[in-house]
Amino acid sequence: MTAEPTPAAAPPPRVRGSLAVAAGILASRAAGLVRQSVFAYYLGGGAGADVFTAAFRIPNVLQNLLGEGAVSASFIPVYARLRASGRPHEAVAVAAAAGTLLALVTAALVALGVLFAPQFVDIIAPGFHGDRRVETLSLVRIFFPGIGLLVLSAWCLGILNSHRRFFLPYAVPMVSSAAVVVALVVTGRDANGFALARAAAWGTVAGALLQLLVQLPSALRLVPGARPSLGFGSPDVRAVLSRFTSALLSRGVAQLSGYIDQILASLLPIGAVATLGYAQTLNLLPVSLFGTAISASELPEMASATGTIDQVHRAVVARLDAGLRRIAFFVIPSAMAFVALGGDIAGLLYQRGAFTHGQTIAVWATLAGSAIGLLGQTMARLYTSAFYALGDTRTPMHVAALRLLLTGALGYVFAFPLLRALGLDASWGTVGLSASAGVAGWIEYLILRASLRRRLGPHGVPGFVVARLWSIALSAAGAAWTVRLPLRALLGDRPMLVAPPTLLFFGLAYLSFGVFVGDPEALRLRDALLRRLRR
């Protein structure tokens, strides 16, 4: 995190796009947390929750490989540049070809996924036997077609994002969460865990179909005259295909990191897979809300930069620096909250019904482990978008391959030998997995930053700014505990009553301390809040 040469010289960041993405993600994540809360109420941390979590991860590789990441890397930069250059007809042809290719590849992979589901289950969940393996296999075959529909939704997202229409594609997952909640409520708590898991799986498929149907009309209106076509003769389509191949490999390598955690967690005691899944849901909230929001909105902006090479590079650096600073301001307190107040967060969302206080503690510990790499992991997303905007999909791919090796090696060491050496119970292995993933995430970030620095020159968030934000976040956590302790003494273990005022006070304290020291992002946020209050 090196000092930027002249931050005042950079143009003021246009945050409207990232705010729209953030608003959409906030809405969808809020709905997702409600879904997870209902899921925890009905299934807790038992075998049914393990089966659902493991089964969903297997076909979800399609969405992670072919979905938003691959579309962002290959399609959006070419499409946005064509539109910025005044070539709308060529842009529509590229959009049609990209959609056709995505549909064909997705259909083939869905068919292969259903056919080879037993092999996938044995690879991803080798610790599952008997009923757990049988039920996981059944759910995988339900999930695959639904995930295929979500992949097709990524094409809609690419079109809408390129036209700076950010809110809809990021908010639409709300309908999927609602479908899962309805399926669980209709099935009822009296059903066994496996039956509830199957109901939630069918709800996921229904939600995926709804997501596609909601976005498709808006996307098609933006590409009038688009017809199914591969268009291999077009150099622009070939550019998309070339980038798509590299992006596919890059996303594949990156996603294997998560599957390594899944494999290792399946070898831990019953409930470990579910615990890791609950913690990852919370960990992804700041990553998506800030990392994805800023990265997604900045990609078409950086890709649309025109002029000489130096002018393009200066434009990319200006937007990169502004985005990194915003990420640091919001993600650092998120990481601090996971460590200091993670029990309140997990308890507020999950601790009811079949979900016990002991499971809350397990999620808190796993969440605290993930906080180690939260900032690096989130900043790496923006760096990846910068590489994509510059037409480089290979560097992120190579760095992701290194991260894969580190995740596997460190995950095994942290979750098994190190745990035994410390004399800890095997159930704490999820903490080792989340912490090792965080270390790998930091290494990925540092390599991406160094590589881009060689190309673009000095950039990044000044080190003193990062240190100041950590100090402010730590002070805010201490202030929050002065509220939490008397509330806990008065109300006991009631997260629904203790957590909201504690977390609210933490957020207000962080903002107030930031304003007091004159942090620009804190001042900007304060002014925005005051304007809304005056309205």
Side-chain angles (χ1 to χ4, degrees):
M1 294 169 186
T2 180
E4 51 188 336
T6 53
R14 287 177 286 173
V15 299
R16 183 175 299 175
S18 61
L19 287 176
V21 179
I25 290 176
L26 180 61
S28 65
R29 289 293 175 183
L33 292 175
V34 172
R35 179 200 66 220
Q36 283 295 93
S37 179
V38 174
F39 186 89
Y41 175 82
Y42 282 102
L43 287 100
D50 271 355
V51 163
F52 181 93
T53 304
F56 184 76
R57 289 298 298 271
I58 295 172
N60 195 47
V61 70
L62 286 183
Q63 184 183 5
N64 293 327
L65 282 176
L66 304 178
E68 178 188 345
V71 168
S72 298
S74 59
F75 169 64
I76 291 179
V78 175
Y79 183 81
R81 193 164 288 121
L82 287 171
R83 294 190 67 250
S85 302
R87 300 164 61 191
H89 296 298
E90 289 92 334
V92 170
V94 166
T100 304
L101 174 66
L102 195 62
L104 292 175
V105 173
T106 300
L109 291 178
V110 166
L112 290 174
V114 173
L115 182 63
F116 291 102
Q119 288 75 20
F120 288 135
V121 171
D122 291 339
I123 292 172
I124 299 300
F128 283 14
H129 304 287
D131 289 343
R132 284 208 297 171
R133 183 186 180 279
V134 171
E135 292 295 334
T136 303
L137 176 59
S138 174
L139 264 60
V140 166
R141 286 175 167 154
I142 295 173
F143 278 131
F144 257 111
I147 297 300
L149 294 171
L150 290 180
V151 171
L152 298 180
S153 296
W155 179 80
C156 300
L157 179 145
I159 297 293
L160 294 169
N161 278 10
S162 297
H163 288 262
R164 279 53 167 188
R165 309 220 177 153
F166 296 108
F167 180 77
L168 176 62
Y170 288 99
V172 75
M174 290 190 298
V175 301
S176 183
S177 295
V180 174
V181 169
V182 169
L184 288 170
V185 172
V186 169
T187 304
R189 193 178 176 188
D190 291 337
N192 63 43
F194 291 147
L196 287 165
R198 286 193 295 274
W202 283 113
T204 302
V205 174
L209 177 60
L210 290 172
Q211 281 188 231
L212 178 61
L213 294 177
V214 168
Q215 295 180 86
L216 192 58
S218 297
L220 291 177
R221 281 195 295 270
L222 296 173
V223 285
R227 296 291 184 271
S229 170
L230 292 177
F232 289 126
S234 166
D236 298 314
V237 172
R238 290 198 298 270
V240 171
L241 291 175
S242 175
R243 296 183 183 197
F244 184 82
T245 303
S246 297
L248 188 64
L249 293 173
S250 177
R251 294 293 296 178
V253 171
Q255 292 306 314
L256 281 175
S257 299
Y259 287 92
I260 288 175
D261 286 343
Q262 172 83 59
I263 292 169
L264 295 174
S266 76
L267 301 174
L268 295 170
I270 290 177
V273 173
T275 295
L276 191 64
Y278 287 128
Q280 287 174 340
T281 297
L282 296 174
N283 178 68
L284 283 174
L285 182 59
V287 173
S288 300
L289 192 57
F290 308 121
T292 301
I294 294 171
S295 301
S297 63
E298 291 296 340
L299 176 57
E301 299 294 344
M302 291 188 286
S304 299
T306 57
T308 66
I309 292 178
D310 287 342
Q311 289 172 330
V312 170
H313 285 184
R314 283 197 298 270
V316 170
V317 166
R319 303 203 69 86
L320 184 63
D321 282 350
L324 289 171
R325 189 151 187 160
R326 282 190 313 231
I327 287 174
F329 177 78
F330 288 107
V331 171
I332 286 174
S334 301
M336 183 61 69
F338 285 169
V339 174
L341 304 169
D344 292 316
I345 297 171
L348 175 64
L349 295 171
Y350 299 139
Q351 191 177 315
R352 60 186 63 85
F355 202 94
T356 66
H357 175 70
Q359 290 164 344
T360 295
I361 299 301
V363 172
W364 180 8
T366 307
L367 200 57
S370 70
I372 292 174
L374 190 61
L375 181 60
Q377 176 187 3
T378 310
M379 285 185 164
R381 292 201 171 199
L382 183 56
Y383 272 103
T384 299
S385 287
F387 278 105
Y388 291 164
L390 295 171
D392 182 358
T393 56
R394 293 184 178 274
T395 298
M397 177 184 68
H398 295 152
V399 178
L402 176 61
R403 180 181 177 181
L404 172 64
L405 295 175
L406 290 171
T407 298
L410 294 177
Y412 174 78
V413 171
F414 282 32
F416 296 98
L418 181 59
L419 213 64
R420 289 194 294 267
L422 296 174
L424 297 175
D425 185 82
S427 60
W428 292 96
T430 56
V431 181
L433 293 176
S434 63
S436 64
V439 173
W442 269 113
I443 294 174
E444 178 187 31
Y445 156 74
L446 292 172
I447 296 174
L448 288 173
R449 187 191 69 169
S451 178
L452 202 60
R453 187 178 184 184
R454 287 192 295 270
R455 181 180 300 187
L456 302 181
H459 66 273
V461 186
F464 76 89
V465 172
V466 175
R468 184 176 65 192
L469 290 175
W470 278 114
S471 299
I472 294 171
L474 181 61
S475 300
W481 270 84
T482 64
V483 172
R484 183 185 188 279
L485 288 175
L487 283 176
R488 183 67 185 267
L490 178 65
L491 301 173
D493 181 28
R494 296 181 180 178
M496 292 290 290
L497 299 178
V498 174
T502 301
L503 295 172
L504 177 61
F505 192 79
F506 170 77
L508 292 175
Y510 178 75
L511 177 59
S512 300
F513 294 158
V515 170
F516 179 76
V517 301
D519 183 86
E521 294 297 329
L523 294 172
R524 187 178 294 113
L525 179 58
R526 180 204 62 183
D527 293 343
L529 292 174
L530 289 176
R531 283 195 300 271
R532 288 190 175 275
L533 288 175
R534 292 192 189 103
R535 291 175 185 173

